[in-house]
Amino acid sequence: EGYTGETFFILHYQGKNIEVVLRRVSEKSSVKLADNPFRVVWKLERINKDDLKGFEYQEILKLLKEILYTYGWQGMGHKEVPQKNLLVELRA
């Protein structure tokens, strides 16, 4: 019944759905859109282990980092921060 700070994602990759739970690290992330670079730090809370069958863990981590950078800090619909000013970090 309360906000946990966790964000749940479904990564659809090679025909399979992989449940990923991330938490944005607020104290390390930017709060102003004018910050240059605009820094977003995510902490990987968990990946559903059953969903990882047939994949290498490091392969999925690399893919997650690419996705977070490509789609910015709040997904495809939010492109307020130009990519050249965006710094995304994923802590596993």
Side-chain angles (χ1 to χ4, degrees):
E1 286 208 15
Y3 177 66
T4 65
E6 295 176 332
T7 304
F8 291 80
F9 295 92
I10 300 296
L11 171 62
H12 186 76
Y13 181 59
Q14 294 185 357
K16 294 187 179 181
N17 290 330
I18 302 169
E19 181 182 301
V20 177
V21 181
L22 302 175
R23 179 184 307 272
R24 186 166 175 203
V25 183
S26 299
E27 62 275 5
K28 301 285 185 183
S29 298
S30 292
V31 293
K32 299 177 190 170
L33 288 175
D35 287 352
N36 189 2
F38 186 86
R39 182 182 178 103
V40 181
V41 179
W42 292 98
K43 181 176 183 278
L44 177 63
E45 293 290 326
R46 65 186 169 279
I47 297 177
N48 186 334
K49 294 196 185 302
D50 291 335
D51 297 344
L52 281 178
K53 291 178 182 166
F55 298 111
E56 293 290 328
Y57 181 77
Q58 291 301 323
E59 171 189 10
I60 299 302
L61 278 183
K62 181 180 176 194
L63 182 62
L64 281 173
K65 288 178 184 181
E66 290 175 18
I67 290 167
L68 289 169
Y69 177 77
T70 300
Y71 291 110
W73 65 293
Q74 286 193 342
M76 294 177 5
H78 297 277
K79 289 290 193 176
E80 295 95 345
V81 178
Q83 292 303 110
K84 65 182 179 184
N85 297 332
L86 182 63
L87 177 61
V88 177
E89 180 182 335
L90 177 62
R91 298 179 178 184

